[in-house]
Structures are given as C-alpha cells and as structure tokens.
Amino acid sequence: MIRLHSLLLAPALVALALVAPACAGDDSGGTHDTHGTDTGTDTGGAEVDTYSDGLMKTSANGHFMIALTSDPGPPVKGDNTWTLVITDHEGADLEGGTVVVTPWMPAHGHGSTNTAVVSDMGGGAYEATPVTLQMAGTWDTTIEISGNGMTDEVHFVFEIPEA
Ligand SMILES: [Cu+2]
C-alpha cells in the first residue's frame, strides 16, 4: 500500500517542483504564469491611485505635498523614472531633502529587483530611477521623505498592466 502511494505521489511532486520558483524577477516580457491563479492584484488594503501627470498626494502626517510624474507615462511593467516635486506644509519647496523610494508588491510579498537612485534636482524636485516594477499587478510604493526637520511618508499605489 505504501509503495502504491509513492508511485502515485511522485508525478505530483515533480509537478510542484517545476512550479515552485515563483516570483523571481521576470523582466522577460514573456508569458508569466508561475503565480497560478494569483493575479497579483491584492493591494494589501491600500487604495489604488489613478495616475495622471503631477498626481498630488499629502504625506501620512501632513508634513509634505508630493506631485508625482512618471516617465514614460502611466507606470509600466519594467523600468520607470519618477519625478517627485515636494513642498512642505507651508507650500515651500523642499530643498536638500532625503527621499527613499521603495516599491512593494503586497500580493506576492516582494519588492523591486532594482534599487531606485534618487537625485535632488533642486527646486523641490527629486528624480528616482529606475523605479522597476518587474511584474504586472498591484504595486504599493512607499516614499520616505526627510527634510526641514520633519520625516514623513506617502504611498503611491498603481495597477501595472501586462506589457
Ligand atoms: Cu510578484
């Protein structure tokens, strides 16, 4: 009886082993179904933002206003460049701030395959590149901002279409 069981289970185990390496950074643009029925659209409770150039949000504790523009347009699967124009609660440009951009995919519990480098462009503008969203689905990107003696964060949540 045990032997019969092993024979029956063996093909199932092989199949599992083949599907197991899910969620490795797939930038190939090819078919990508290693998540099975998980479409990656779980937001982890966050509300999805509707992108437009200069999309404006207030940070969690109200210290900063952030206007986001993504190049080449609405955030795409793969590499994006984000320009963040940040003002403080009095409307002054945030000069010399520190900005950290961290993409996260809540449905799969993983981040980006790249680290976005943030450059201070002056006048309250910060350029983050590459903002790599390597899979289709929902991405919740945390932007931590420090400056003018304050620290705060804002989330931008986008639904990334299959290329
Ligand atoms: Cu994923």
Side-chain angles (χ1 to χ4, degrees), residues 111-136:
S112 176
T113 50
N114 286 317
T115 300
V117 175
V118 180
S119 304
D120 185 346
M121 311 300 280
Y126 298 81
E127 185 186 85
T129 193
V131 179
T132 302
L133 312 173
Q134 71 269 18
M135 295 175 54

Side-chain angles (χ1 to χ4, degrees), residues 23 32 35 105 108 110 135-136 139:
C23 237
H32 177 61
H35 291 299
M105 205 177 184
H108 302 153
H110 66 73
M135 295 175 54
W139 286 83

Side-chain angles (χ1 to χ4, degrees), residues 66-92:
I66 301 92
L68 179 151
T69 299
S70 183
D71 185 43
V76 294
K77 179 175 158 181
D79 292 346
N80 300 265
T81 295
W82 284 5
T83 300
L84 307 156
V85 178
I86 305 174
T87 52
D88 68 18
H89 64 282
E90 290 169 336

Side-chain angles (χ1 to χ4, degrees), residues 41-49 57 106 138-140 155-157:
T41 52
D42 173 19
T43 65
E47 198 146 316
V48 176
D49 294 306
K57 293 188 89 169
T138 306
W139 286 83
D140 180 341
H155 290 252
F156 283 93
V157 182

Side-chain angles (χ1 to χ4, degrees), residues 11-24 32-38:
L13 288 172
V14 170
L16 274 176
L18 289 173
V19 191
C23 237
H32 177 61
D33 61 357
T34 51
H35 291 299
T37 55
D38 181 353

